Amino acid sequence: MRKVIVNSTPIISLSLIDSLYILKELYGTVFIPKAVYDEVVIKGKSKIGSNNLLECEYIKILEIKNKEAEKLFKTNLHSGEVEVMILYDELNADLCILDDLLARKYAKYLNYNITGTIGVLLKAKEVGLVKNIKQLLFELIKNGIYIDRKLMKKVLELANEN
């Protein structure tokens, strides 16, 4: 079983376009640290509240064990991103789903296998879970998620939807 750690922005983004199920279909079970749960439920602008997130049996909420490592990570990253990286190490995870550019740079530096919300959507299209990624990207934008024009063009080319 692949161990996949997910940050708050991908959960919020996928929930905004009613596509959270894609995580289950692609990865089975995914893990989020407690700080991500707090960001999504308490601070997040997703469609999913506490009960709805808890009803997603494929999303497992875990406390990080190494609280000391969290102090070392305190940089320009949010606590959710820090805990995602610590949990990635603690679980010896296979994939980290992050959108924030700075967090992705840290993850790449640490040699983590990473993707983001758009990578998840591309994978979903590749395996036939979604038919039209362009519509989903426009829904993300309509819901306040920023997608760079160059990135949008490249993604649509990759998805053969240009």
Side-chain angles (χ1 to χ4, degrees):
M1 175 179 93
R2 291 182 74 195
K3 294 179 193 156
V4 178
I5 315 298
V6 187
N7 195 28
S8 54
T9 305
I11 290 174
I12 291 168
S13 297
L14 291 170
S15 73
L16 287 170
I17 59 172
D18 296 321
S19 299
L20 200 55
Y21 72 92
I22 290 172
L23 293 175
K24 179 182 180 185
E25 297 299 320
L26 288 178
Y27 309 113
T29 298
V30 297
F31 300 92
I32 64 171
K34 177 74 169 64
V36 166
Y37 172 83
D38 292 344
E39 285 179 16
V40 170
V41 173
I42 297 166
K43 302 173 195 165
K45 57 182 178 180
S46 69
K47 288 183 179 178
I48 54 178
S50 177
N51 291 336
N52 293 347
L53 189 59
L54 292 173
E55 287 171 9
C56 297
E57 76 286 346
Y58 54 94
I59 298 176
K60 303 294 182 201
I61 304 158
L62 299 176
E63 291 272 354
I64 60 168
K65 293 177 183 143
N66 189 350
K67 300 287 184 183
E68 289 300 310
E70 195 169 15
K71 294 174 188 170
L72 299 174
F73 256 108
K74 287 296 180 191
T75 58
N76 295 329
L77 301 179
H78 295 113
S79 59
E81 295 158 348
V82 170
E83 286 195 12
V84 161
M85 292 187 198
I86 294 169
L87 192 59
Y88 186 96
D89 282 334
E90 289 181 354
L91 293 180
N92 194 21
D94 302 297
L95 181 65
C96 187
I97 305 176
L98 288 166
D99 285 343
D100 180 79
L101 183 60
L102 185 58
R104 289 171 71 94
K105 285 181 180 181
Y106 274 95
K108 282 182 184 176
Y109 174 78
L110 295 169
N111 291 318
Y112 293 174
N113 185 22
I114 62 170
T115 193
T117 301
I118 292 174
V120 169
L121 293 175
L122 280 168
K123 184 72 172 170
K125 168 119 190 226
E126 180 185 312
V127 300
L129 286 173
V130 298
K131 293 190 182 345
N132 187 317
I133 201 171
K134 187 176 194 175
Q135 182 60 39
L136 294 173
L137 295 175
F138 283 129
E139 283 183 50
L140 283 171
I141 292 167
K142 188 174 88 179
N143 280 287
I145 304 297
Y146 174 76
I147 301 173
D148 180 78
R149 289 182 109 142
K150 288 179 186 174
L151 177 61
M152 172 77 97
K153 185 176 185 210
K154 182 173 175 120
V155 170
L156 294 177
E157 286 173 13
L158 289 170
N160 294 313
E161 293 183 27
N162 39 344

